[in-house]
Amino acid sequence: MLTPQPEQTVSKLRKYLSGLHPWTIPAYHHSTTSLKSLVIAMALLDGGLSAEEAIACSFLETDFQIDRWGEVEWQHTLDRARLSADVAAAVLLVQEINSLGGTELHQATV
C-alpha cells in the first residue's frame, strides 16, 4: 500500500531527480531497488554515506531478525554479498560519470 506524500516532498524529489545526469538514472534506480530505499540510495550516490554504511542501513531489519531468530548463513551471506556488488557497481558508475564532467548537469538541490 502506498502512503501519500506531501506535494512539497514530491516536488523536491522530482526537481532533484530531473537534475541528474541521464546516465546516472539507472544507478539511482538499481541502488534504490537493491537498498530498498530512495533516501539511502541518494545518500550513498551523493557521497553522504559510504557503501558499508548504506548496506548497514539497508540491513537494519534483517540484522534485528538475525539477532532475534538466528542466521540462515548461506542466504544472509549471499544477500549481503549480492547487495555489496550491486552498490559497488552503482557507485562506480556515478563516480565515473561525475569524473567526466557529469556534475555540471546536476543542477538541482534539495
Side-chain angles (χ1 to χ4, degrees):
M1 177 189 307
L2 296 176
T3 304
Q5 300 299 312
E7 184 53 42
Q8 182 181 14
T9 302
V10 173
S11 176
K12 284 185 177 186
L13 281 171
R14 187 174 287 125
K15 181 179 177 183
Y16 173 86
L17 293 170
S18 67
L20 294 174
H21 188 287
W23 292 352
T24 64
I25 299 296
Y28 277 80
H29 175 266
H30 192 67
S31 294
T32 299
T33 56
S34 297
L35 293 164
K36 299 179 180 91
S37 169
L38 175 60
V39 173
I40 296 173
M42 288 169 57
L44 168 71
L45 297 175
D46 290 345
L49 289 176
S50 69
E52 294 81 13
E53 291 168 330
I55 291 166
C57 290
S58 179
F59 266 85
L60 222 77
E61 173 66 18
T62 301
D63 290 340
F64 173 80
Q65 295 296 334
I66 289 170
D67 288 345
R68 184 171 175 105
W69 304 107
E71 183 174 19
V72 179
E73 188 173 332
W74 63 270
Q75 184 62 53
H76 292 126
T77 303
L78 181 61
D79 289 345
R80 209 173 283 269
R82 185 178 297 125
L83 183 58
S84 294
D86 289 347
V87 164
V91 169
L92 287 172
L93 176 62
V94 170
Q95 286 177 345
E96 183 64 20
I97 290 168
N98 289 344
S99 75
L100 297 173
T103 53
E104 288 96 35
L105 294 176
H106 187 143
Q107 303 290 324
T109 57
V110 177

